[in-house]
Amino acid sequence: MNPVLKKFTDYIGREDRPEDPEFSRWLGGVFREVKEGELVMDFRVRTDMTNPVGYLHGGAQNAIVDDVIGMTVLTLGHRQFFMSLGLHVDYLGRCKVGETVSALGKVVRSGKNVVHAQCELLDSQNTLICRGTSNLMRSPFPAMPEIHRGGR
């Protein structure tokens, strides 16, 4: 098992991950399932994540999708960080404060330098709230250097 996958597996069910970037901590996702190229996280909708009518803000949906796609790509175990070339999100539903949304990240295609991934947000009734896709490019920056000891 690659070291990132191992670390993320250890995170399942944990709400406190102080080593996460501050923005990811603000989103507050909890790992539920992790395997190479796939990730499921749950996010509780808070008031500070909503639009003026009380539903999960499109910007918050976009942020969750982007964050989950990035972490899903990390599960591949590459030593270099993959940066978004673009992100497309379709907003298809809504959810209110207090509801939990599940984010399902999946790598669709992994090439040497470009990865294509997607993320769907589902409410507690498994209704699709939004779907996002992204292409990410290998960068010269290290990905999680504190845990990599060799690798791809």
Side-chain angles (χ1 to χ4, degrees):
M1 178 181 297
N2 74 55
V4 174
L5 195 58
K6 166 86 171 82
K7 186 171 191 110
F8 284 4
T9 300
D10 291 345
Y11 286 160
I12 291 176
R14 285 185 52 196
E15 292 184 29
D16 64 323
R17 297 182 308 274
E19 62 280 351
D20 280 3
E22 192 168 330
F23 188 72
S24 296
R25 286 196 310 271
W26 178 81
L27 288 172
V30 177
F31 286 84
R32 195 173 74 203
E33 297 174 28
V34 180
K35 56 184 169 180
E36 189 169 312
E38 295 184 26
L39 181 67
V40 179
M41 294 184 77
D42 291 332
F43 294 82
R44 187 97 169 141
V45 179
R46 304 181 313 269
T47 303
D48 61 340
M49 300 168 89
T50 60
N51 61 24
V53 294
Y55 292 113
L56 182 61
H57 192 286
Q61 293 177 44
N62 193 302
I64 292 168
V65 165
D66 186 50
D67 212 43
V68 169
I69 284 176
M71 287 186 277
T72 303
V73 171
L74 284 171
T75 68
L76 298 176
H78 294 290
R79 292 184 65 210
Q80 287 81 27
F81 183 74
F82 276 69
M83 300 173 71
S84 296
L85 291 169
L87 177 66
H88 177 85
V89 178
D90 290 311
Y91 305 99
L92 304 165
R94 60 183 185 262
C95 62
K96 297 182 203 175
V97 171
E99 293 185 49
T100 297
V101 297
S102 295
L104 289 67
K106 182 176 182 177
V107 171
V108 176
R109 181 186 177 281
S110 179
K112 182 179 177 186
N113 293 307
V114 176
V115 172
H116 180 77
Q118 68 180 27
C119 179
E120 294 182 338
L121 295 187
L122 306 173
D123 67 13
S124 58
Q125 286 77 45
N126 284 330
T127 303
L128 187 62
I129 296 168
C130 78
R131 175 181 292 131
T133 59
S134 182
N135 289 308
L136 301 94
M137 177 182 70
R138 182 186 301 269
S139 79
F141 307 109
M144 301 182 79
E146 68 280 6
I147 65 169
H148 277 290
R149 308 278 188 265
R152 298 182 223 184

